[in-house]
Amino acid sequence: MDTIIIASIFIIYLAVMVGIGFKFYSKTEDLSGYILGGRKLNSWVTAMSAQASDMSGWLLIGLPGTAYLLYAGTSEAIWTAIGLFIGTYLNWLFVAKRLRKYTQVSGNAITIPDFFENRFRDKKHILRIVSAVFIVIFFLVYTSSQFAAGGKLFVTIFGMDYTLGLIIGAIIILAYTALGGFTAVCWTDTIQGTIMFVALIVVPVIGIVTLGGFDGMTTRLAELTPESLGFFPEKNGAIDTLLLASALGWGLGYFGQPHILVRFMAIESPDMIRKSRIIAMIWVTITLTCAILVGIVGKALTPDLADGETVYMVMINDMFHPVISGVLLIAILAAIMSTASSQLLVSASSVSRDLYATIFKKNTEGPGIVWASRLTVVIISLIAIVIAIDPDSSVFGLVSCAWGGFGSAFGPLILFSLFWRRMTLPGAIAGMITGGVVDLFWYNMSGGIFDIYEIIPGCISSALVIVIVSLCTKVSSEIKEEFDSVKDVQI
């Protein structure tokens, strides 16, 4: 009976999400509407959609699972959260407003590769094609991490076969993304972000009450081991600087995440950014803190879990009535769906507009290209399912790989594009390729200096190559004039 109640709540929720997709189906007749929603997002939807699509199932599965390990795990989770907080704030403060203006001034770009091509007057489309290829590669990994999280959810809650749970979750996400496009995704993100926010507050608070308050929790943790929770990660009696730098390095990734950056591009007015930033920072501060608490409190309540990434789900099953459990468990589904749908949409735009239309010289206006985007969503979903088919897939590991790849390939390129007048097309191409290749190389190595998160060497090498190559090549006066005009543009 408990399973039937929870399943019924899931079905109602999923029906609402698909219904939103149908609602916006008739309003996506051109690619701009399907990919960017006609640049009509308000402050609340922009903020909630950006943060919900940012954090993903990782927030309720990967991060609590890391904190669940205690000591080294908890300190890694804490410093990762600090890095993410700093990166989120700097992204909203420096990138959001200028990117919104620059993408409209520079040929009304509706995708990140579109912006790069227009910004550097890349008539041979090299920058567009290379960036689109990186987007597809890394989003395949990223989307597969969300599908893996969905599989774990259905296994833990319903005892369902992992592969079947994986496929069910993927089909639902696929349905409303392919139907409604960007606007549907953003509105569902807002609903899902609210659910995540409430659930992440309720679960650790009730867990602490169940343990008899903070004193009861610390007593229980002390019984598990005599060691105390460390704020700094340690190795051989000293601060583990590589792990500390790696955790903080997550913050570098924000400047290069296409599914977040596109929200900045879609807000109705640059003047609305400040309000969105305040909303976003309140949301991210509370949710990151509570996600770490879930891992710590969960360790005190259920110390012997085989898979720490299931701690949030196990806590809910143990502490709440089935009706409340169903509502709180929806938060995981919300986190998974909000990120996966955003990633599928950005991937679809890159394949349809930046690869298909460019290589085969197809018209980017009208319903034909929209249907090409919808077909791309289906194909990418199928490939992502294959990548995530292993039930031992680590959500934290898959997200880490994709996050580092985008941060390295696109992060320095975005920052220099927006704030360095002297940057050139050869510098942009060389910097992007260098960042992406170094990140992938570093990811596949292990031991010694390679133990540091690959995003750090990836970003450093990309930035150095951008500067060196740009200084060795020329930039046109037309590009300089457009750069200078952005700060004075009123939209």
Side-chain angles (χ1 to χ4, degrees), residues 56-68 77 149 308-309 394-397 399:
S56 75
W58 175 90
L59 183 65
L60 294 101
I61 296 179
L63 188 59
T66 302
Y68 182 85
E309 290 193 339
S394 167
V395 176
F396 191 96
V399 171

Side-chain angles (χ1 to χ4, degrees), residues 304-321:
D304 301 317
L305 291 179
D307 184 355
E309 290 193 339
T310 63
V311 61
Y312 174 86
M313 294 173 266
V314 172
M315 287 175 67
I316 290 173
N317 274 341
D318 291 346
M319 295 190 303
F320 297 97
H321 184 276

Side-chain angles (χ1 to χ4, degrees), residues 109-412:
I110 64 172
T111 68
I112 294 298
D114 207 11
F115 167 63
F116 290 151
E117 178 173 295
N118 295 346
R119 162 72 170 83
F120 296 104
R121 305 301 192 272
D122 181 14
K123 297 180 180 179
K124 295 183 179 180
H125 311 300
I126 297 173
L127 197 54
R128 178 192 289 271
I129 292 173
V130 173
S131 58
V133 169
F134 274 127
I135 283 175
V136 172
I137 291 172
F138 290 124
F139 267 150
L140 277 173
V141 178
Y142 216 147
T143 304
S144 69
S145 74
Q146 304 313 304
F147 289 172
K152 290 189 177 187
L153 172 65
F154 286 110
V155 168
T156 304
I157 303 307
F158 302 115
M160 188 181 291
D161 176 74
Y162 172 80
T163 303
L164 179 59
L166 180 78
I167 293 172
I168 290 174
I171 289 174
I172 297 298
I173 295 167
L174 172 62
Y176 76 79
T177 305
L179 286 170
F182 186 79
T183 306
V185 166
C186 288
W187 277 101
T188 53
D189 283 353
T190 302
I191 296 169
Q192 290 162 166
T194 304
I195 294 171
M196 292 160 63
F197 182 82
V198 173
L200 275 169
I201 294 174
V202 169
V203 173
V205 168
I206 299 301
I208 292 171
V209 171
T210 302
L211 288 165
F214 278 104
D215 290 340
M217 181 183 71
T218 53
T219 299
R220 176 60 180 142
L221 292 172
E223 291 173 355
L224 295 174
T225 175
E227 296 181 76
S228 60
L229 292 177
F231 184 68
F232 290 97
E234 294 185 2
K235 186 177 183 179
N236 299 326
I239 294 176
D240 188 342
T241 53
L242 287 181
L243 183 57
L244 181 61
S246 296
L248 286 172
W250 278 74
L252 291 172
Y254 274 99
F255 308 118
Q257 304 300 317
H259 59 301
I260 299 174
L261 298 174
V262 74
R263 266 68 184 173
F264 302 156
M265 296 162 58
I267 196 167
E268 187 170 1
S269 167
D271 295 332
M272 300 165 71
I273 292 289
R274 183 177 181 276
K275 181 179 178 181
S276 293
R277 181 173 72 243
I278 294 171
I279 297 168
M281 294 314 301
I282 292 172
W283 190 95
V284 79
T285 301
I286 294 174
T287 54
L288 285 174
T289 302
C290 290
I292 294 172
L293 275 176
V294 166
I296 297 172
V297 175
K299 185 68 174 182
L301 285 169
T302 54
D304 301 317
L305 291 179
D307 184 355
E309 290 193 339
T310 63
V311 61
Y312 174 86
M313 294 173 266
V314 172
M315 287 175 67
I316 290 173
N317 274 341
D318 291 346
M319 295 190 303
F320 297 97
H321 184 276
V323 174
I324 300 175
S325 293
V327 174
L328 294 175
L329 288 168
I330 282 174
I332 298 180
L333 201 57
I336 295 166
M337 293 170 67
S338 61
T339 300
S341 59
S342 299
Q343 293 161 354
L344 285 172
L345 198 61
V346 174
S347 300
S349 70
S350 290
V351 172
S352 61
R353 180 180 175 86
D354 303 317
L355 290 178
Y356 172 74
T358 300
I359 295 173
F360 296 102
K361 303 186 186 305
K362 297 292 184 178
N363 182 19
T364 58
E365 302 296 331
I369 196 71
V370 175
W371 278 105
S373 294
R374 288 182 170 128
L375 178 61
T376 302
V377 169
V378 175
I379 295 171
I380 290 176
S381 295
L382 293 174
I383 299 173
I385 288 173
V386 172
I387 295 173
I389 206 72
D390 180 5
D392 294 324
S393 298
S394 167
V395 176
F396 191 96
L398 289 170
V399 171
S400 174
C401 172
W403 187 269
F406 278 125
S408 300
F410 291 153

